[in-house]
Amino acid sequence: MSLAKKALEEGQGILRLAPTWVPRSFCVPGRRIKLHPDDYYVLGGERGGIDERWLSSTTAAENGPLTGEHEGLSKVVVGSAGKEELLLLKDLIDELQAEIIGSRIWDEHKSWPMYSKFFDNMGPLPHHIHHNDEHAAKIGMKGKPEAYYFPPQLNNHGGDFPYTFFGIAPGTTREQIKECLMNFTKGDNKITSFSQAFKLDPGTGWDVPPGMLHAPGSMCTYEPQKASDVFAMYQSLVNEAIIPEELLWKGTPKDRIGDYDQLMEVIDWELNVDPNILETRFMAPVPVKDIGEMEAAGYVENWICYRSEAFSAKELTVMPGQTVVIKDQAAYGMIMMQGHGTMGVWDVETPALIRYGQLTHDEYFVTEKAAMEGVKITNHSKTDPIVMLKHFGPGNPDLNL
């Protein structure tokens, strides 16, 4: 029996995943993703601090020439304590295909086409953009829509700047933005002078389509996204840190590097100058069905990311002492945020502190078959709810808002 089939059988359709830590050389860790304080710079100063944990990822991180082998790729844990073996989730899905993610997604994408992450920065990120499919295809990549949710459990403080810039302020001209891009190497190019910032509130989220300029704030963020790491930085100075010019041209075809019109083409202008960004991009939690009905059954589940066709996400809360069976019509990855108990044949728990390389019982991947049959979750605490976040691929059949 192959290791992939052994993993599927061992978990009865639920795969245990190992933590996947990713450094970013241009960021300062916010230290809220439960990594041990001694381990944020365990990969060395030149790699930068670890400020991301990738979830259910079959997407390799794009971190330049020093990128580690398998960086960003989730691994499945197989076997009992002390005898664990690891294999890439990507390899397992490539082998077992529709058995894992269902024929609906496999037949169309031949892969798991999304992943989620926690990104955890002490300060704000630069105003940047993700290319759409058309522009990303020019460099052999896929476009990247993404979304944010700010888990209360990871945001006991908001960091240095808990506000996110979105889009371009109405009334701004294309010439003004192009001038900012042309001033990239002259210190502060002041592009956020032409944007608007929104305060970030725990327990809410935002939708960020490709082509939209955005400068994420300093809250610890749960971020479902399409399986791509394409981006370009359009802001030259953030939090007194200079952004290398090479990141301005990241995602640009080689024959158009130096062409500022190409950078302008990546911007979806109408999307960015929309005066109703709060109405069209903000996401408050939405119950998946009647709250009273759910509470009577011992749980509450909300949609938290629901504006994109490329992915969706839910937050599930199971009340203390309760046992529930939760059915979904699609495969999903999940991460524990609070509490402990069992999920299917597995123990689930929420570690307070994780060493780099340590295995945990807080992250799993649920196959489509297991999701449709129903996942049995028992909360073993008398006082603490179980809270988990669940990230789904494109075209979720349950999403009918």
Side-chain angles (χ1 to χ4, degrees):
M1 181 187 297
S2 72
L3 197 57
K5 289 186 176 178
K6 182 180 176 184
L8 184 60
E9 186 176 285
E10 179 179 281
Q12 295 182 18
I14 300 176
L15 307 171
R16 178 187 173 197
L17 302 182
T20 302
W21 307 105
V22 175
R24 294 295 197 190
S25 61
F26 50 81
C27 297
V28 176
R31 298 177 180 265
R32 291 164 294 193
I33 50 176
K34 303 180 183 177
L35 190 60
H36 190 282
D38 291 346
D39 291 349
Y40 280 100
Y41 291 90
V42 71
L43 297 174
E46 60 186 354
R47 295 300 321 279
I50 292 172
D51 69 335
E52 297 186 355
R53 179 178 174 182
W54 289 23
L55 309 167
S56 301
S57 171
T58 60
T59 303
E62 294 279 340
N63 265 341
L66 297 178
T67 305
E69 185 184 15
H70 301 156
E71 195 159 288
L73 295 172
S74 292
K75 293 180 179 177
V76 179
V77 183
V78 191
S80 54
K83 299 178 181 177
E84 296 99 343
E85 297 179 83
L86 301 177
L87 77 155
L88 293 175
L89 177 62
K90 181 182 187 303
D91 291 346
L92 184 145
I93 291 174
D94 285 346
E95 179 182 336
L96 300 182
Q97 303 178 0
E99 273 192 90
I100 306 300
I101 60 176
S103 57
R104 178 180 61 84
I105 290 180
W106 177 259
D107 290 348
E108 182 174 350
H109 298 277
K110 297 294 188 285
S111 66
W112 178 240
M114 69 84 64
Y115 66 107
S116 193
K117 68 166 74 164
F118 294 129
F119 74 74
D120 173 40
N121 305 309
M122 184 64 74
L125 283 182
H127 216 32
H128 67 276
I129 200 161
H130 299 291
H131 304 63
N132 63 20
D133 283 335
E134 177 190 349
H135 287 290
K138 296 175 183 177
I139 58 165
M141 296 184 73
K142 295 176 181 175
K144 188 167 97 160
E146 62 188 25
Y148 307 150
Y149 177 71
F150 311 111
Q153 295 86 354
L154 299 183
N155 281 296
N156 59 321
H157 69 91
D160 292 344
F161 191 77
Y163 304 84
T164 288
F165 287 94
F166 288 106
I168 297 167
T172 303
T173 67
R174 286 177 167 85
E175 289 71 26
Q176 287 171 310
I177 297 300
K178 185 176 178 180
E179 184 179 1
C180 290
L181 300 178
M182 296 176 72
N183 288 335
F184 195 89
T185 59
K186 300 177 182 177
D188 184 1
N189 69 345
K190 300 181 180 178
I191 192 169
T192 53
S193 298
F194 301 100
S195 187
Q196 46 199 339
F198 296 84
K199 183 177 181 294
L200 306 180
D201 293 314
T204 69
W206 289 82
D207 177 61
V208 187
M212 183 172 184
L213 280 161
H214 56 292
S218 57
M219 274 202 171
C220 188
T221 303
Y222 169 76
E223 185 187 24
Q225 58 206 270
K226 193 170 176 176
S228 172
D229 200 20
V230 67
F231 67 89
M233 297 295 186
Y234 279 22
Q235 184 179 358
S236 60
L237 180 76
V238 63
N239 234 23
E240 300 308 313
I242 291 288
I243 307 303
E245 188 188 10
E246 66 192 59
L247 295 181
L248 173 66
W249 300 106
K250 188 173 170 64
T252 300
K254 287 183 179 178
D255 64 342
R256 296 199 67 182
I257 289 176
D259 181 351
Y260 293 94
D261 289 329
Q262 165 65 21
L263 299 179
M264 292 298 297
E265 288 171 19
V266 173
I267 300 172
D268 183 328
W269 193 261
E270 296 308 315
L271 180 71
N272 279 271
V273 298
D274 179 2
N276 299 314
I277 282 178
L278 186 64
E279 177 188 350
T280 57
R281 304 271 73 93
F282 178 73
M283 293 183 293
V286 177
V288 301
K289 56 185 176 183
D290 180 75
I291 291 181
E293 180 185 338
M294 289 190 287
E295 288 178 340
Y299 74 98
V300 171
E301 191 167 41
N302 291 315
W303 291 107
I304 54 173
C305 298
Y306 47 78
R307 291 190 183 275
S308 175
E309 278 293 310
F311 52 78
S312 56
K314 295 178 179 179
E315 178 186 67
L316 171 65
T317 301
V318 180
M319 306 307 177
Q322 297 293 316
T323 295
V324 300
V325 176
I326 304 295
K327 294 184 178 182
D328 288 281
Q329 298 302 304
Y332 60 90
M334 59 75 65
I335 179 74
M336 288 286 289
M337 301 306 302
Q338 187 174 342
H340 71 282
T342 57
M343 183 177 74
V345 300
W346 295 107
D347 292 327
V348 289
E349 60 192 14
T350 313
L353 203 61
I354 308 169
R355 294 305 306 243
Y356 184 85
Q358 176 187 338
L359 299 178
T360 58
H361 280 93
D362 66 341
E363 185 184 355
Y364 293 86
F365 191 94
V366 180
T367 63
E368 185 187 77
K369 183 172 183 285
M372 293 177 74
E373 289 175 350
V375 175
K376 183 179 180 181
I377 302 167
T378 298
N379 187 340
H380 287 168
S381 175
K382 294 182 173 65
T383 55
D384 200 21
I386 279 178
V387 182
M388 65 176 69
L389 304 181
K390 301 159 60 173
H391 25 279
F392 299 83
N396 191 333
D398 290 322
L399 183 56
N400 295 308
L401 298 181

